[in-house]
Amino acid sequence: MLDTVEVGNSLRELIQQRNWDELRGRMRDMNPSDVADLIIALPAEEEAFVFRVLQKDQAGEVFSYLPQDHQEDLIAALDE
Protein backbone atom coordinates (compact mmCIF):
# COMPACT_ATOMS: atom_id res chain seq x y z
CA MET A 1 0.00 0.00 0.00
CA LEU A 2 1.30 3.40 -0.98
CA ASP A 3 1.66 6.00 1.77
CA THR A 4 0.10 8.90 -0.15
CA VAL A 5 0.90 11.46 2.53
CA GLU A 6 4.60 10.62 2.60
CA VAL A 7 4.88 10.35 -1.18
CA GLY A 8 2.76 13.47 -1.64
CA ASN A 9 5.06 15.46 0.63
CA SER A 10 8.06 14.21 -1.31
CA LEU A 11 6.42 15.20 -4.60
CA ARG A 12 5.53 18.62 -3.22
CA GLU A 13 9.20 19.21 -2.44
CA LEU A 14 10.12 18.33 -6.02
CA ILE A 15 7.43 20.69 -7.33
CA GLN A 16 8.68 23.53 -5.12
CA GLN A 17 12.23 22.85 -6.32
CA ARG A 18 10.95 22.71 -9.92
CA ASN A 19 12.80 19.42 -10.30
CA TRP A 20 10.64 18.15 -13.16
CA ASP A 21 13.02 15.38 -14.26
CA GLU A 22 13.10 13.79 -10.80
CA LEU A 23 9.34 14.19 -10.47
CA ARG A 24 8.82 12.54 -13.86
CA GLY A 25 11.16 9.69 -12.90
CA ARG A 26 9.33 8.96 -9.67
CA MET A 27 5.95 9.00 -11.36
CA ARG A 28 7.04 6.77 -14.25
CA ASP A 29 7.27 3.63 -12.12
CA MET A 30 4.08 4.19 -10.16
CA ASN A 31 0.78 2.45 -10.73
CA PRO A 32 -1.68 4.81 -12.51
CA SER A 33 -4.30 4.39 -9.78
CA ASP A 34 -1.69 5.38 -7.16
CA VAL A 35 -0.76 8.45 -9.19
CA ALA A 36 -4.46 9.36 -9.38
CA ASP A 37 -4.73 9.02 -5.59
CA LEU A 38 -1.74 11.33 -5.19
CA ILE A 39 -3.19 13.89 -7.57
CA ILE A 40 -6.43 13.85 -5.60
CA ALA A 41 -4.51 14.34 -2.33
CA LEU A 42 -2.43 17.27 -3.61
CA PRO A 43 -3.59 20.88 -3.35
CA ALA A 44 -5.46 21.93 -6.49
CA GLU A 45 -2.68 24.29 -7.62
CA GLU A 46 -0.16 21.40 -7.65
CA GLU A 47 -2.29 18.81 -9.44
CA ALA A 48 -1.64 20.24 -12.89
CA PHE A 49 2.14 20.27 -12.33
CA VAL A 50 2.12 16.56 -11.52
CA PHE A 51 -0.19 15.70 -14.40
CA ARG A 52 1.91 17.65 -16.91
CA VAL A 53 5.08 15.67 -16.19
CA LEU A 54 3.41 12.33 -16.96
CA GLN A 55 4.08 10.63 -20.26
CA LYS A 56 1.04 10.77 -22.55
CA ASP A 57 0.09 7.10 -22.22
CA GLN A 58 0.46 7.21 -18.45
CA ALA A 59 -1.48 10.48 -18.26
CA GLY A 60 -4.41 8.89 -20.08
CA GLU A 61 -4.48 5.98 -17.67
CA VAL A 62 -4.18 8.21 -14.62
CA PHE A 63 -6.94 10.48 -15.91
CA SER A 64 -9.30 7.52 -16.20
CA TYR A 65 -8.87 6.80 -12.46
CA LEU A 66 -9.81 10.34 -11.41
CA PRO A 67 -13.40 11.04 -10.35
CA GLN A 68 -15.33 13.10 -12.89
CA ASP A 69 -15.29 16.28 -10.79
CA HIS A 70 -11.52 15.99 -10.45
CA GLN A 71 -11.20 15.41 -14.20
CA GLU A 72 -13.13 18.62 -14.86
CA ASP A 73 -11.07 20.61 -12.36
CA LEU A 74 -7.84 19.25 -13.80
CA ILE A 75 -8.86 20.19 -17.34
CA ALA A 76 -9.67 23.70 -16.14
CA ALA A 77 -6.30 23.93 -14.35
CA LEU A 78 -4.45 22.73 -17.44
CA ASP A 79 -6.16 25.44 -19.52
CA GLU A 80 -4.85 28.18 -17.22
Side-chain angles (χ1 to χ4, degrees):
M1 182 78 185
L2 181 68
D3 182 353
T4 55
V5 173
E6 183 177 322
V7 175
N9 288 337
S10 174
L11 294 178
R12 255 188 235 111
E13 287 179 27
L14 293 173
I15 291 167
Q16 290 170 353
Q17 296 168 0
R18 300 195 181 279
N19 190 344
W20 309 127
D21 291 333
E22 179 70 21
L23 181 62
R24 184 177 296 111
R26 290 203 192 169
M27 306 296 278
R28 184 179 308 128
D29 298 328
M30 292 177 65
N31 183 301
S33 64
D34 290 336
V35 176
D37 288 342
L38 286 170
I39 288 174
I40 291 168
L42 286 171
E45 62 274 4
E46 294 177 356
E47 292 177 356
F49 287 117
V50 172
F51 193 77
R52 281 190 177 118
V53 300
L54 299 175
Q55 295 176 349
K56 288 186 182 191
D57 58 330
Q58 186 183 22
E61 288 184 61
V62 168
F63 192 80
S64 71
Y65 283 100
L66 295 172
Q68 185 173 352
D69 61 328
H70 246 82
Q71 290 177 348
E72 293 169 1
D73 292 344
L74 182 58
I75 290 170
L78 291 170
D79 284 341
E80 293 176 4

